[in-house]
Amino acid sequence: MQSLNDLKILDAIERFRSIRKAADHMSLTPSALSRKILALETQFGVELFERTSKGLRLNRSGQYLTVYARSQLAEFEKVRGELQAIKKTTSGHVRICASQSVLESFLPVHLARFQLNNPKVTVSINHSSSARAMTDLQEYHSDIGLCLNLSDHTDLSVLGDADQEIYAVVTTSHPLAAEREVSIAEIARHQIVLPPQGSGLRLMLDQHANRENTFLTPAVESNTYASIASACRNAGLVTFGLSLYEQTEDGAGNVALIRIRKMPPANVRLVKLHGRTLSPAADKLARYLGNRMRGRAVADAGQTTPQATQG
């Protein structure tokens, strides 16, 4: 490979499936990017892409080389971070894959707090199911993952682990807001907003409702936090969140969190690919998030929450 930009070409084309969009992303003209693609194929002696009417698509050789390219870019981030550590600063880019419920209730506020103390660390987040997280980590799409009810796997190292209670979330003016605990059947009598079928939280809620001979019929079903939060705040619908939700700005003042009777807890795990050395930026963020998760678990157990290590 001639440069890091050559490595980034493969990743950009896989993501955008378009010469024009990939070229815009890399600040190149489409013709310049096309020449670089031909140069890569000449260098390796194989075609890397399939040309279709819908644009470019990686073939098997291209997919193999893209995984290698991402691993090299991740290694570069690690080395760059180590060099910055010599200067006693932390910089770099961290990629996180996260289940929707964790993305909604935990990451936004804690990433903001981390970046206040680490302004040279940038973060990108991919919404990913727990089943998809393994592939994201193996193929270097992500550095770390925050997943709901993730099964044990020899390819993953667990950096943080916490059981999380699932709450009904309502505005303080909702009829249920005064209750400390309600059954899933009582919740089902109200209009509710749910994540889509197949998501980890939705699966747990449907299974619990089935055990209690109740059926949850959503008035609104959405896979975006903004629309779920809007339906709760503005339309008075009931939604659901993890106990991690209590740490967010939304968790204080304008909403009430109500325990769901007999509802089993969810498990949230912070993971990385086994054997992979994280960049200093990713390692620092992982340690920060792990500390916050452990602090929440202690608080849920009715103990004093320890002061988490600040980023």
Side-chain angles (χ1 to χ4, degrees), residues 156-270:
L156 295 180
S157 294
V158 178
L159 307 175
D161 186 296
D163 285 339
Q164 300 295 316
E165 192 163 356
I166 298 173
Y167 288 92
V169 182
V170 298
T171 61
T172 51
S173 60
H174 192 278
L176 292 177
E179 303 293 333
R180 296 191 62 183
E181 183 179 89
V182 294
S183 68
I184 197 73
E186 290 174 282
I187 294 171
R189 298 189 192 110
H190 297 266
Q191 287 193 312
I192 60 176
V193 54
L194 288 174
Q197 290 186 341
S199 65
L201 183 59
R202 175 67 179 272
L203 182 62
M204 291 191 69
L205 289 166
D206 285 341
Q207 288 175 340
H208 179 57
N210 185 59
R211 286 192 297 269
E212 298 295 311
N213 297 314
T214 299
F215 187 76
L216 296 176
T217 303
V220 176
E221 185 176 280
S222 175
N223 63 356
T224 66
Y225 173 59
S227 59
I228 289 174
S230 177
C232 176
R233 292 193 192 97
N234 301 323
L237 274 63
V238 182
T239 188
F240 301 89
L242 306 179
S243 48
L244 289 168
Y245 191 95
E246 292 180 287
Q247 297 185 40
T248 71
E249 297 300 327
D250 289 338
N254 61 343
V255 296
L257 277 69
I258 308 163
R259 294 181 185 275
I260 304 173
R261 193 172 301 128
K262 298 181 181 179
M263 182 78 203
N267 179 260
V268 178
R269 286 186 174 180
L270 176 66

Side-chain angles (χ1 to χ4, degrees), residues 83-121:
L83 292 174
Q84 292 298 319
I86 295 173
K87 296 168 56 179
K88 300 188 183 300
T89 62
T90 302
S91 66
H93 186 71
V94 185
R95 299 160 301 169
I96 304 175
C97 57
S99 298
Q100 180 185 348
S101 52
V102 181
L103 175 59
E104 294 171 2
S105 59
F106 178 65
L107 274 178
V109 67
H110 288 299
L111 284 180
R113 290 172 181 170
F114 176 83
Q115 288 179 304
L116 280 176
N117 294 319
N118 298 274
K120 293 185 178 180
V121 176

